[in-house]
Amino acid sequence: MFDPATARIGIVGLGYVGLPLAVEFGKQFPTLGLDINAARIQELQAGSDSTLEVEPETLREAHQLRYTSRAADLTNCNVYIVTVPTPVDEYKRPDFSPLIGASTTVGQILKPGDVAIYESTVYPGATEEVCVPILERESGLRFNVDFFAGYSPERINPGDKEHRLTTIRKITSGSTPEAAEFVDALYRRVITAGTHRASSIRVAEAAKVIENTQRDVNIALINELAMLFDRLGIDTEEVLRASGTKWNFLPFRPGLVGGHCIGVDPYYLTHKAQEIGYHPEMILAGRRINDGMGAYIVQRVVKLMNQRRMAVRDAKILIMGLTFKENCPDLRNTRVVDVVQEFRDYHARVDVYDPWVNPREAQHEYGIDPIAEPQPGHYDAIILAVAHRQFQEMGIERLRALGKPGAVLFDVKYLFPATTVDGRL
């Protein structure tokens, strides 16, 4: 079928990745977006996006886009793009259940000549080793004879209004040269920044997974340096600003490393490495450092409280921010929960305030009930965990007013000058 002009596209999964993709394709092609969450379909049909990635007016521009929660509605499509998440389980092992479920759904409606494209981040080889056999089993069709596959990894940056789907260069690949050309031509229709066609699906998978692994290792280095500089009595941000005066110094900052990419993708790569008998050291060392930052932050705050003769048990702690990054409602794999749990282990009383989050989602995902507003003069310690613009706009005096006299104010994200807070990373 390799003619992009005849594409009828089905998008499987309408989250942070799938919806922007569906909207762009829906401006040019007959496109049907599938999500198993009926409430999500209802809100999109009503013209709103709770992830805040797509504005209502942009949704309206996708004249050929429709939504459904019924997989059977996709039968008229001939291109299926899977955008479901690939999380890790509690043991940091890849959890392929969303991808297996989506592949099963697509396999049951796959027809001769169809193309299945995956955007989910996985280890090199996963598309052809995990997903394609499911497509074959469910459809009864033969791979690269009756149907074809492609891989084009997502590069969405939640909350980023500058780097959007269409302005980020897209990696593409296909299971045969003809399929690769078709996938590349299809994405070129909507990606104004252009595409980069990889020589194979495995190369494209590897390219994606190391993008975030590289960032994870670099942030781990800066986190370790922050711990060192704290012991030396040196302000980390001041050091980084000084080093940043050289043109090729990389501008990473310390902090909590969460989200659905940086804190997850390295585990896919290390899983595959160990499966083939290679034991990665640097990647896992970076993961250990970054996964321990929540406990380290609490240790720093507890030390400051002890220096002021403040008991941690039954102390009232305010954590400002719950999302994994600033100015977006995304709670996926947020490591702020590590800070919450660590304080609860000290038997402190913890309030979480975040004007961006959906309280029902926070309760469902983490058992956390965010407060509507923090009470002035109520807290023994305040931790600025996420750099939401609302917190910066509050100013240091209003933040201080939330605490009791002598309360500890710890700034994880360098929102305020070092001289105005009691501690920073």
Side-chain angles (χ1 to χ4, degrees):
M1 63 147 284
F2 301 117
D3 180 4
T6 65
R8 300 183 303 278
I9 299 170
I11 308 289
V12 182
L14 294 174
Y16 286 85
V17 175
L19 180 64
L21 193 67
V23 167
E24 292 306 321
F25 276 123
K27 294 176 183 178
Q28 300 190 39
F29 298 94
T31 304
L32 187 60
L34 169 70
D35 200 289
I36 60 174
N37 184 345
R40 175 69 167 158
I41 295 300
Q42 289 174 358
E43 75 172 48
L44 293 173
Q45 289 174 335
S48 65
D49 170 28
S50 59
T51 71
L52 306 182
E53 286 299 301
V54 181
E55 302 294 334
E57 55 269 26
T58 306
L59 283 176
R60 290 193 292 270
E61 292 172 2
H63 300 297
Q64 300 187 66
L65 173 61
R66 301 293 181 268
Y67 309 101
T68 184
S69 59
R70 288 168 26 92
D73 293 341
L74 295 178
T75 53
N76 288 328
C77 298
N78 53 21
V79 178
Y80 302 95
I81 304 179
V82 175
T83 62
V84 299
T86 46
V88 293
D89 64 20
E90 59 181 314
Y91 304 108
K92 309 301 184 185
R93 297 175 306 195
D95 176 7
F96 278 104
S97 56
L99 209 49
I100 290 170
S103 298
T104 301
T105 295
V106 172
Q108 291 172 349
I109 55 179
L110 204 62
K111 305 174 298 301
D114 287 355
V115 178
I117 304 170
Y118 289 84
E119 292 217 354
S120 307
T121 305
V122 290
Y123 57 71
T127 299
E128 290 158 297
E129 295 166 9
V130 177
C131 303
V132 166
I134 296 172
L135 297 177
E136 287 188 306
R137 183 192 70 210
E138 296 295 326
S139 67
L141 302 176
R142 293 169 297 168
F143 179 48
N144 282 341
V145 176
D146 302 314
F147 74 93
F148 304 86
Y151 183 79
S152 181
E154 61 89 3
R155 282 176 158 175
I156 292 292
N157 187 26
D160 189 337
K161 300 304 181 184
E162 177 183 356
H163 301 98
R164 311 301 293 166
L165 170 69
T166 58
T167 63
I168 302 171
R169 195 173 182 188
K170 201 87 162 69
I171 297 172
T172 67
S173 64
S175 56
T176 67
E178 295 78 13
E181 173 55 35
F182 167 76
V183 172
D184 194 69
L186 187 67
Y187 279 101
R188 286 200 308 266
R189 295 283 293 266
V190 296
I191 305 298
T192 57
T195 60
H196 175 92
R197 188 166 71 183
S199 63
S200 69
I201 287 176
R202 286 164 57 88
V203 168
E205 291 167 327
K208 168 56 182 178
V209 79
I210 72 164
E211 289 177 11
N212 292 317
T213 301
Q214 182 189 65
R215 293 179 65 199
D216 191 46
V217 170
N218 276 286
I219 296 171
L221 172 62
I222 302 301
N223 275 335
E224 187 166 57
L225 290 174
M227 291 185 270
L228 170 62
F229 293 147
D230 175 54
R231 294 192 177 194
L232 293 173
I234 302 173
D235 182 72
T236 301
E237 187 193 27
E238 192 175 352
V239 174
L240 295 175
R241 284 204 313 269
S243 295
T245 59
K246 189 179 181 188
W247 78 93
N248 61 351
F249 184 80
L250 301 177
F252 290 96
R253 290 293 184 269
L256 297 165
V257 183
H260 191 63
C261 292
I262 301 179
V264 173
D265 295 354
Y267 288 121
Y268 275 79
L269 192 56
T270 58
H271 171 83
K272 186 62 176 180
Q274 291 169 337
E275 190 178 77
I276 62 172
Y278 180 79
H279 301 285
E281 296 183 25
M282 182 177 289
I283 298 170
L284 287 175
R287 281 283 76 231
R288 284 192 293 271
I289 291 171
N290 288 340
D291 278 349
M293 289 307 293
Y296 175 73
I297 289 167
V298 174
Q299 175 190 323
R300 289 280 309 277
V301 175
V302 168
K303 183 177 180 179
L304 290 168
M305 294 175 69
N306 285 338
Q307 290 171 348
R308 300 183 182 193
R309 301 183 183 278
M310 301 167 65
V312 180
R313 186 184 183 93
D314 293 325
K316 296 175 181 176
I317 308 294
L318 175 62
I319 297 176
M320 301 190 68
L322 182 59
T323 58
F324 90 88
K325 66 179 293 186
E326 66 277 5
N327 303 325
C328 80
D330 197 344
L331 289 173
R332 294 176 297 174
N333 195 40
T334 174
R335 299 311 347 136
V336 179
V337 297
D338 298 341
V339 179
V340 174
Q341 187 55 54
E342 196 75 12
F343 272 120
R344 286 176 175 173
D345 289 345
Y346 276 99
H347 301 286
R349 290 181 281 174
V350 182
D351 281 349
V352 177
Y353 172 60
D354 192 322
W356 284 86
V357 306
N358 182 322
R360 291 191 300 274
E361 185 180 354
Q363 170 54 229
H364 178 265
E365 294 295 328
Y366 302 109
I368 293 174
D369 293 305
I371 61 173
E373 287 287 342
Q375 300 179 38
H378 188 69
Y379 298 100
D380 298 292
I382 302 165
I383 294 89
L384 289 164
V386 185
H388 290 320
R389 65 171 182 266
Q390 290 92 335
F391 300 160
Q392 191 161 37
E393 291 168 356
M394 287 176 69
I396 199 69
E397 291 185 5
R398 284 182 61 195
L399 286 169
R400 285 283 187 190
L402 298 174
K404 300 174 183 177
V408 170
L409 178 58
F410 193 89
D411 187 357
V412 173
K413 299 297 292 184
Y414 299 161
L415 273 176
F416 297 98
T419 54
T420 64
V421 298
D422 302 305
R424 306 197 299 178
L425 277 183

